[in-house]
PDB file of all heavy atoms in Angstrom:
ATOM      1  N   LEU A   1     120.094 111.769  97.075  1.00  0.00           N
ATOM      2  CA  LEU A   1     119.568 110.615  97.735  1.00  0.00           C
ATOM      3  C   LEU A   1     119.720 109.377  96.864  1.00  0.00           C
ATOM      4  O   LEU A   1     119.333 109.374  95.710  1.00  0.00           O
ATOM      5  CB  LEU A   1     118.091 110.799  98.065  1.00  0.00           C
ATOM      6  CG  LEU A   1     117.375 109.630  98.693  1.00  0.00           C
ATOM      7  CD1 LEU A   1     117.909 109.448 100.079  1.00  0.00           C
ATOM      8  CD2 LEU A   1     115.873 109.865  98.744  1.00  0.00           C
ATOM      9  N   ASP A   2     120.366 108.356  97.397  1.00  0.00           N
ATOM     10  CA  ASP A   2     120.513 107.099  96.677  1.00  0.00           C
ATOM     11  C   ASP A   2     119.476 106.122  97.210  1.00  0.00           C
ATOM     12  O   ASP A   2     119.690 105.447  98.207  1.00  0.00           O
ATOM     13  CB  ASP A   2     121.928 106.559  96.835  1.00  0.00           C
ATOM     14  CG  ASP A   2     122.173 105.259  96.030  1.00  0.00           C
ATOM     15  OD1 ASP A   2     121.250 104.802  95.322  1.00  0.00           O
ATOM     16  OD2 ASP A   2     123.255 104.703  96.140  1.00  0.00           O
ATOM     17  N   ARG A   3     118.348 106.039  96.521  1.00  0.00           N
ATOM     18  CA  ARG A   3     117.241 105.211  96.970  1.00  0.00           C
ATOM     19  C   ARG A   3     117.624 103.738  97.081  1.00  0.00           C
ATOM     20  O   ARG A   3     117.116 102.969  97.855  1.00  0.00           O
ATOM     21  CB  ARG A   3     116.047 105.299  96.019  1.00  0.00           C
ATOM     22  CG  ARG A   3     115.347 106.610  96.129  1.00  0.00           C
ATOM     23  CD  ARG A   3     114.158 106.688  95.256  1.00  0.00           C
ATOM     24  NE  ARG A   3     113.382 105.464  95.200  1.00  0.00           N
ATOM     25  CZ  ARG A   3     112.371 105.237  94.381  1.00  0.00           C
ATOM     26  NH1 ARG A   3     112.021 106.139  93.525  1.00  0.00           N
ATOM     27  NH2 ARG A   3     111.705 104.121  94.402  1.00  0.00           N
ATOM     28  N   ASP A   4     118.610 103.325  96.258  1.00  0.00           N
ATOM     29  CA  ASP A   4     119.002 101.878  96.268  1.00  0.00           C
ATOM     30  C   ASP A   4     119.673 101.497  97.573  1.00  0.00           C
ATOM     31  O   ASP A   4     119.733 100.294  97.889  1.00  0.00           O
ATOM     32  CB  ASP A   4     119.950 101.609  95.096  1.00  0.00           C
ATOM     33  CG  ASP A   4     119.253 101.767  93.747  1.00  0.00           C
ATOM     34  OD1 ASP A   4     118.000 101.639  93.720  1.00  0.00           O
ATOM     35  OD2 ASP A   4     119.939 102.044  92.783  1.00  0.00           O
ATOM     36  N   THR A   5     120.204 102.425  98.344  1.00  0.00           N
ATOM     37  CA  THR A   5     120.864 102.054  99.558  1.00  0.00           C
ATOM     38  C   THR A   5     119.960 102.185 100.772  1.00  0.00           C
ATOM     39  O   THR A   5     120.359 101.816 101.888  1.00  0.00           O
ATOM     40  CB  THR A   5     122.076 102.975  99.805  1.00  0.00           C
ATOM     41  OG1 THR A   5     121.644 104.317  99.964  1.00  0.00           O
ATOM     42  CG2 THR A   5     123.080 102.871  98.655  1.00  0.00           C
ATOM     43  N   LEU A   6     118.725 102.655 100.596  1.00  0.00           N
ATOM     44  CA  LEU A   6     117.787 102.788 101.710  1.00  0.00           C
ATOM     45  C   LEU A   6     116.970 101.542 101.918  1.00  0.00           C
ATOM     46  O   LEU A   6     116.532 100.897 100.958  1.00  0.00           O
ATOM     47  CB  LEU A   6     116.826 103.955 101.472  1.00  0.00           C
ATOM     48  CG  LEU A   6     117.437 105.351 101.403  1.00  0.00           C
ATOM     49  CD1 LEU A   6     116.335 106.360 101.085  1.00  0.00           C
ATOM     50  CD2 LEU A   6     118.104 105.707 102.721  1.00  0.00           C
ATOM     51  N   THR A   7     116.751 101.186 103.177  1.00  0.00           N
ATOM     52  CA  THR A   7     115.805 100.127 103.485  1.00  0.00           C
ATOM     53  C   THR A   7     114.409 100.676 103.266  1.00  0.00           C
ATOM     54  O   THR A   7     114.222 101.909 103.211  1.00  0.00           O
ATOM     55  CB  THR A   7     115.968  99.632 104.926  1.00  0.00           C
ATOM     56  OG1 THR A   7     115.581 100.702 105.829  1.00  0.00           O
ATOM     57  CG2 THR A   7     117.368  99.135 105.216  1.00  0.00           C
ATOM     58  N   SER A   8     113.404  99.819 103.238  1.00  0.00           N
ATOM     59  CA  SER A   8     112.058 100.341 103.046  1.00  0.00           C
ATOM     60  C   SER A   8     111.662 101.250 104.237  1.00  0.00           C
ATOM     61  O   SER A   8     110.981 102.248 104.060  1.00  0.00           O
ATOM     62  CB  SER A   8     111.067  99.208 102.858  1.00  0.00           C
ATOM     63  OG  SER A   8     111.053  98.335 103.975  1.00  0.00           O
ATOM     64  N   LYS A   9     112.108 100.890 105.424  1.00  0.00           N
ATOM     65  CA  LYS A   9     111.824 101.725 106.619  1.00  0.00           C
ATOM     66  C   LYS A   9     112.501 103.086 106.486  1.00  0.00           C
ATOM     67  O   LYS A   9     111.852 104.111 106.761  1.00  0.00           O
ATOM     68  CB  LYS A   9     112.299 101.029 107.907  1.00  0.00           C
ATOM     69  CG  LYS A   9     111.961 101.773 109.148  1.00  0.00           C
ATOM     70  CD  LYS A   9     112.388 101.021 110.406  1.00  0.00           C
ATOM     71  CE  LYS A   9     112.093 101.844 111.599  1.00  0.00           C
ATOM     72  NZ  LYS A   9     112.527 101.129 112.830  1.00  0.00           N
ATOM     73  N   ASP A  10     113.727 103.130 106.017  1.00  0.00           N
ATOM     74  CA  ASP A  10     114.403 104.389 105.837  1.00  0.00           C
ATOM     75  C   ASP A  10     113.711 105.238 104.752  1.00  0.00           C
ATOM     76  O   ASP A  10     113.597 106.436 104.898  1.00  0.00           O
ATOM     77  CB  ASP A  10     115.884 104.199 105.356  1.00  0.00           C
ATOM     78  CG  ASP A  10     116.748 103.611 106.467  1.00  0.00           C
ATOM     79  OD1 ASP A  10     116.411 103.759 107.621  1.00  0.00           O
ATOM     80  OD2 ASP A  10     117.764 102.978 106.087  1.00  0.00           O
ATOM     81  N   TRP A  11     113.254 104.549 103.676  1.00  0.00           N
ATOM     82  CA  TRP A  11     112.581 105.284 102.597  1.00  0.00           C
ATOM     83  C   TRP A  11     111.280 105.903 103.105  1.00  0.00           C
ATOM     84  O   TRP A  11     111.008 107.061 102.813  1.00  0.00           O
ATOM     85  CB  TRP A  11     112.335 104.322 101.417  1.00  0.00           C
ATOM     86  CG  TRP A  11     111.634 104.954 100.285  1.00  0.00           C
ATOM     87  CD1 TRP A  11     110.431 104.616  99.783  1.00  0.00           C
ATOM     88  CD2 TRP A  11     112.110 106.055  99.450  1.00  0.00           C
ATOM     89  NE1 TRP A  11     110.105 105.424  98.724  1.00  0.00           N
ATOM     90  CE2 TRP A  11     111.070 106.324  98.524  1.00  0.00           C
ATOM     91  CE3 TRP A  11     113.229 106.824  99.465  1.00  0.00           C
ATOM     92  CZ2 TRP A  11     111.221 107.308  97.541  1.00  0.00           C
ATOM     93  CZ3 TRP A  11     113.349 107.819  98.538  1.00  0.00           C
ATOM     94  CH2 TRP A  11     112.388 108.105  97.594  1.00  0.00           C
ATOM     95  N   VAL A  12     110.480 105.148 103.843  1.00  0.00           N
ATOM     96  CA  VAL A  12     109.259 105.692 104.396  1.00  0.00           C
ATOM     97  C   VAL A  12     109.544 106.865 105.319  1.00  0.00           C
ATOM     98  O   VAL A  12     108.871 107.932 105.288  1.00  0.00           O
ATOM     99  CB  VAL A  12     108.446 104.593 105.111  1.00  0.00           C
ATOM    100  CG1 VAL A  12     107.290 105.210 105.890  1.00  0.00           C
ATOM    101  CG2 VAL A  12     107.930 103.563 104.114  1.00  0.00           C
ATOM    102  N   GLY A  13     110.575 106.731 106.124  1.00  0.00           N
ATOM    103  CA  GLY A  13     111.009 107.836 107.023  1.00  0.00           C
ATOM    104  C   GLY A  13     111.397 109.054 106.254  1.00  0.00           C
ATOM    105  O   GLY A  13     111.049 110.192 106.616  1.00  0.00           O
ATOM    106  N   TYR A  14     112.093 108.861 105.145  1.00  0.00           N
ATOM    107  CA  TYR A  14     112.509 109.976 104.300  1.00  0.00           C
ATOM    108  C   TYR A  14     111.329 110.687 103.689  1.00  0.00           C
ATOM    109  O   TYR A  14     111.194 111.894 103.720  1.00  0.00           O
ATOM    110  CB  TYR A  14     113.470 109.499 103.193  1.00  0.00           C
ATOM    111  CG  TYR A  14     113.783 110.558 102.178  1.00  0.00           C
ATOM    112  CD1 TYR A  14     114.710 111.549 102.435  1.00  0.00           C
ATOM    113  CD2 TYR A  14     113.102 110.585 100.988  1.00  0.00           C
ATOM    114  CE1 TYR A  14     114.989 112.509 101.507  1.00  0.00           C
ATOM    115  CE2 TYR A  14     113.343 111.594 100.025  1.00  0.00           C
ATOM    116  CZ  TYR A  14     114.304 112.562 100.284  1.00  0.00           C
ATOM    117  OH  TYR A  14     114.563 113.536  99.381  1.00  0.00           O
ATOM    118  N   ILE A  15     110.362 109.913 103.190  1.00  0.00           N
ATOM    119  CA  ILE A  15     109.166 110.487 102.570  1.00  0.00           C
ATOM    120  C   ILE A  15     108.421 111.324 103.618  1.00  0.00           C
ATOM    121  O   ILE A  15     108.000 112.429 103.388  1.00  0.00           O
ATOM    122  CB  ILE A  15     108.233 109.387 102.021  1.00  0.00           C
ATOM    123  CG1 ILE A  15     108.899 108.665 100.837  1.00  0.00           C
ATOM    124  CG2 ILE A  15     106.859 109.924 101.591  1.00  0.00           C
ATOM    125  CD1 ILE A  15     109.180 109.528  99.645  1.00  0.00           C
ATOM    126  N   TYR A  16     108.169 110.772 104.825  1.00  0.00           N
ATOM    127  CA  TYR A  16     107.495 111.506 105.830  1.00  0.00           C
ATOM    128  C   TYR A  16     108.230 112.754 106.304  1.00  0.00           C
ATOM    129  O   TYR A  16     107.637 113.752 106.607  1.00  0.00           O
ATOM    130  CB  TYR A  16     107.124 110.595 107.032  1.00  0.00           C
ATOM    131  CG  TYR A  16     105.960 109.725 106.753  1.00  0.00           C
ATOM    132  CD1 TYR A  16     106.073 108.339 106.597  1.00  0.00           C
ATOM    133  CD2 TYR A  16     104.656 110.242 106.660  1.00  0.00           C
ATOM    134  CE1 TYR A  16     104.988 107.536 106.335  1.00  0.00           C
ATOM    135  CE2 TYR A  16     103.563 109.446 106.416  1.00  0.00           C
ATOM    136  CZ  TYR A  16     103.726 108.135 106.224  1.00  0.00           C
ATOM    137  OH  TYR A  16     102.657 107.306 105.948  1.00  0.00           O
ATOM    138  N   ALA A  17     109.536 112.637 106.339  1.00  0.00           N
ATOM    139  CA  ALA A  17     110.359 113.787 106.806  1.00  0.00           C
ATOM    140  C   ALA A  17     110.406 114.923 105.810  1.00  0.00           C
ATOM    141  O   ALA A  17     110.604 116.066 106.200  1.00  0.00           O
ATOM    142  CB  ALA A  17     111.780 113.300 107.136  1.00  0.00           C
ATOM    143  N   THR A  18     110.201 114.606 104.526  1.00  0.00           N
ATOM    144  CA  THR A  18     110.368 115.630 103.486  1.00  0.00           C
ATOM    145  C   THR A  18     109.039 116.071 102.890  1.00  0.00           C
ATOM    146  O   THR A  18     109.000 116.965 102.066  1.00  0.00           O
ATOM    147  CB  THR A  18     111.299 115.148 102.374  1.00  0.00           C
ATOM    148  OG1 THR A  18     110.739 113.971 101.859  1.00  0.00           O
ATOM    149  CG2 THR A  18     112.697 114.934 102.895  1.00  0.00           C
ATOM    150  N   THR A  19     107.924 115.455 103.300  1.00  0.00           N
ATOM    151  CA  THR A  19     106.652 115.797 102.781  1.00  0.00           C
ATOM    152  C   THR A  19     106.031 116.929 103.640  1.00  0.00           C
ATOM    153  O   THR A  19     106.022 116.788 104.873  1.00  0.00           O
ATOM    154  CB  THR A  19     105.709 114.591 102.809  1.00  0.00           C
ATOM    155  OG1 THR A  19     106.291 113.561 102.017  1.00  0.00           O
ATOM    156  CG2 THR A  19     104.303 114.929 102.225  1.00  0.00           C
ATOM    157  N   PRO A  20     105.579 118.015 103.045  1.00  0.00           N
ATOM    158  CA  PRO A  20     104.985 119.077 103.851  1.00  0.00           C
ATOM    159  C   PRO A  20     103.777 118.581 104.592  1.00  0.00           C
ATOM    160  O   PRO A  20     102.994 117.765 104.076  1.00  0.00           O
ATOM    161  CB  PRO A  20     104.571 120.088 102.807  1.00  0.00           C
ATOM    162  CG  PRO A  20     105.156 119.714 101.517  1.00  0.00           C
ATOM    163  CD  PRO A  20     105.552 118.269 101.627  1.00  0.00           C
ATOM    164  N   ILE A  21     103.586 119.091 105.797  1.00  0.00           N
ATOM    165  CA  ILE A  21     102.431 118.761 106.575  1.00  0.00           C
ATOM    166  C   ILE A  21     101.386 119.831 106.404  1.00  0.00           C
ATOM    167  O   ILE A  21     101.537 120.984 106.858  1.00  0.00           O
ATOM    168  CB  ILE A  21     102.788 118.601 108.085  1.00  0.00           C
ATOM    169  CG1 ILE A  21     103.797 117.473 108.240  1.00  0.00           C
ATOM    170  CG2 ILE A  21     101.564 118.346 108.909  1.00  0.00           C
ATOM    171  CD1 ILE A  21     104.383 117.354 109.602  1.00  0.00           C
ATOM    172  N   VAL A  22     100.320 119.481 105.698  1.00  0.00           N
ATOM    173  CA  VAL A  22      99.226 120.391 105.440  1.00  0.00           C
ATOM    174  C   VAL A  22      98.102 119.982 106.379  1.00  0.00           C
ATOM    175  O   VAL A  22      97.523 118.900 106.217  1.00  0.00           O
ATOM    176  CB  VAL A  22      98.763 120.321 103.960  1.00  0.00           C
ATOM    177  CG1 VAL A  22      97.587 121.189 103.718  1.00  0.00           C
ATOM    178  CG2 VAL A  22      99.942 120.692 103.032  1.00  0.00           C
ATOM    179  N   ALA A  23      97.861 120.803 107.382  1.00  0.00           N
ATOM    180  CA  ALA A  23      96.919 120.449 108.433  1.00  0.00           C
ATOM    181  C   ALA A  23      95.527 121.028 108.150  1.00  0.00           C
ATOM    182  O   ALA A  23      95.400 122.240 107.921  1.00  0.00           O
ATOM    183  CB  ALA A  23      97.419 120.911 109.765  1.00  0.00           C
ATOM    184  N   LEU A  24      94.534 120.211 108.221  1.00  0.00           N
ATOM    185  CA  LEU A  24      93.153 120.645 108.136  1.00  0.00           C
ATOM    186  C   LEU A  24      92.680 121.088 109.510  1.00  0.00           C
ATOM    187  O   LEU A  24      93.125 120.579 110.511  1.00  0.00           O
ATOM    188  CB  LEU A  24      92.244 119.522 107.639  1.00  0.00           C
ATOM    189  CG  LEU A  24      92.494 118.974 106.256  1.00  0.00           C
ATOM    190  CD1 LEU A  24      91.587 117.768 105.992  1.00  0.00           C
ATOM    191  CD2 LEU A  24      92.308 119.988 105.199  1.00  0.00           C
ATOM    192  N   THR A  25      91.750 122.042 109.521  1.00  0.00           N
ATOM    193  CA  THR A  25      91.089 122.369 110.778  1.00  0.00           C
ATOM    194  C   THR A  25      90.167 121.254 111.150  1.00  0.00           C
ATOM    195  O   THR A  25      89.815 120.387 110.318  1.00  0.00           O
ATOM    196  CB  THR A  25      90.284 123.725 110.658  1.00  0.00           C
ATOM    197  OG1 THR A  25      89.226 123.473 109.755  1.00  0.00           O
ATOM    198  CG2 THR A  25      91.202 124.873 110.212  1.00  0.00           C
ATOM    199  N   ALA A  26      89.630 121.278 112.371  1.00  0.00           N
ATOM    200  CA  ALA A  26      88.667 120.227 112.790  1.00  0.00           C
ATOM    201  C   ALA A  26      87.441 120.275 111.876  1.00  0.00           C
ATOM    202  O   ALA A  26      86.929 119.209 111.492  1.00  0.00           O
ATOM    203  CB  ALA A  26      88.289 120.429 114.224  1.00  0.00           C
ATOM    204  N   ASP A  27      86.967 121.465 111.546  1.00  0.00           N
ATOM    205  CA  ASP A  27      85.794 121.581 110.707  1.00  0.00           C
ATOM    206  C   ASP A  27      86.054 121.048 109.307  1.00  0.00           C
ATOM    207  O   ASP A  27      85.245 120.367 108.690  1.00  0.00           O
ATOM    208  CB  ASP A  27      85.306 123.036 110.609  1.00  0.00           C
ATOM    209  CG  ASP A  27      84.647 123.512 111.902  1.00  0.00           C
ATOM    210  OD1 ASP A  27      84.238 122.704 112.726  1.00  0.00           O
ATOM    211  OD2 ASP A  27      84.599 124.757 112.102  1.00  0.00           O
ATOM    212  N   GLU A  28      87.251 121.384 108.746  1.00  0.00           N
ATOM    213  CA  GLU A  28      87.601 120.897 107.413  1.00  0.00           C
ATOM    214  C   GLU A  28      87.721 119.396 107.372  1.00  0.00           C
ATOM    215  O   GLU A  28      87.234 118.713 106.479  1.00  0.00           O
ATOM    216  CB  GLU A  28      88.944 121.522 106.954  1.00  0.00           C
ATOM    217  CG  GLU A  28      88.837 122.980 106.629  1.00  0.00           C
ATOM    218  CD  GLU A  28      90.200 123.659 106.534  1.00  0.00           C
ATOM    219  OE1 GLU A  28      91.206 123.143 107.012  1.00  0.00           O
ATOM    220  OE2 GLU A  28      90.249 124.750 105.938  1.00  0.00           O
ATOM    221  N   SER A  29      88.326 118.842 108.406  1.00  0.00           N
ATOM    222  CA  SER A  29      88.492 117.406 108.512  1.00  0.00           C
ATOM    223  C   SER A  29      87.131 116.694 108.608  1.00  0.00           C
ATOM    224  O   SER A  29      86.893 115.698 107.923  1.00  0.00           O
ATOM    225  CB  SER A  29      89.379 117.046 109.718  1.00  0.00           C
ATOM    226  OG  SER A  29      89.596 115.681 109.761  1.00  0.00           O
ATOM    227  N   ALA A  30      86.260 117.215 109.435  1.00  0.00           N
ATOM    228  CA  ALA A  30      84.915 116.638 109.591  1.00  0.00           C
ATOM    229  C   ALA A  30      84.131 116.687 108.291  1.00  0.00           C
ATOM    230  O   ALA A  30      83.363 115.775 107.951  1.00  0.00           O
ATOM    231  CB  ALA A  30      84.173 117.354 110.695  1.00  0.00           C
ATOM    232  N   LYS A  31      84.336 117.785 107.582  1.00  0.00           N
ATOM    233  CA  LYS A  31      83.641 117.965 106.282  1.00  0.00           C
ATOM    234  C   LYS A  31      83.922 116.861 105.307  1.00  0.00           C
ATOM    235  O   LYS A  31      83.035 116.496 104.513  1.00  0.00           O
ATOM    236  CB  LYS A  31      83.962 119.333 105.710  1.00  0.00           C
ATOM    237  CG  LYS A  31      83.287 119.693 104.425  1.00  0.00           C
ATOM    238  CD  LYS A  31      83.695 121.089 103.969  1.00  0.00           C
ATOM    239  CE  LYS A  31      83.095 121.419 102.646  1.00  0.00           C
ATOM    240  NZ  LYS A  31      83.531 122.719 102.136  1.00  0.00           N
ATOM    241  N   ILE A  32      85.127 116.362 105.264  1.00  0.00           N
ATOM    242  CA  ILE A  32      85.504 115.374 104.240  1.00  0.00           C
ATOM    243  C   ILE A  32      85.842 113.991 104.772  1.00  0.00           C
ATOM    244  O   ILE A  32      86.235 113.111 103.976  1.00  0.00           O
ATOM    245  CB  ILE A  32      86.673 115.891 103.390  1.00  0.00           C
ATOM    246  CG1 ILE A  32      87.942 116.067 104.229  1.00  0.00           C
ATOM    247  CG2 ILE A  32      86.277 117.168 102.655  1.00  0.00           C
ATOM    248  CD1 ILE A  32      89.196 116.268 103.434  1.00  0.00           C
TER     249      ILE A  32
END
């Protein structure tokens, strides 16, 4: 990945696309 060629929108999209989605349950979410 060449970060220098990415726009900020592309970079944010890359981060979200490659970051694992760790989902809390409703109870876990409410707890914190």
Side-chain angles (χ1 to χ4, degrees):
L1 176 68
D2 183 2
R3 287 181 44 187
D4 294 334
T5 63
L6 294 178
T7 66
S8 59
K9 182 178 178 181
D10 290 337
W11 179 242
V12 169
Y14 172 79
I15 294 296
Y16 281 109
T18 58
T19 302
I21 298 173
V22 176
L24 297 175
T25 66
D27 289 340
E28 290 167 340
S29 184
K31 180 179 177 184
I32 64 167

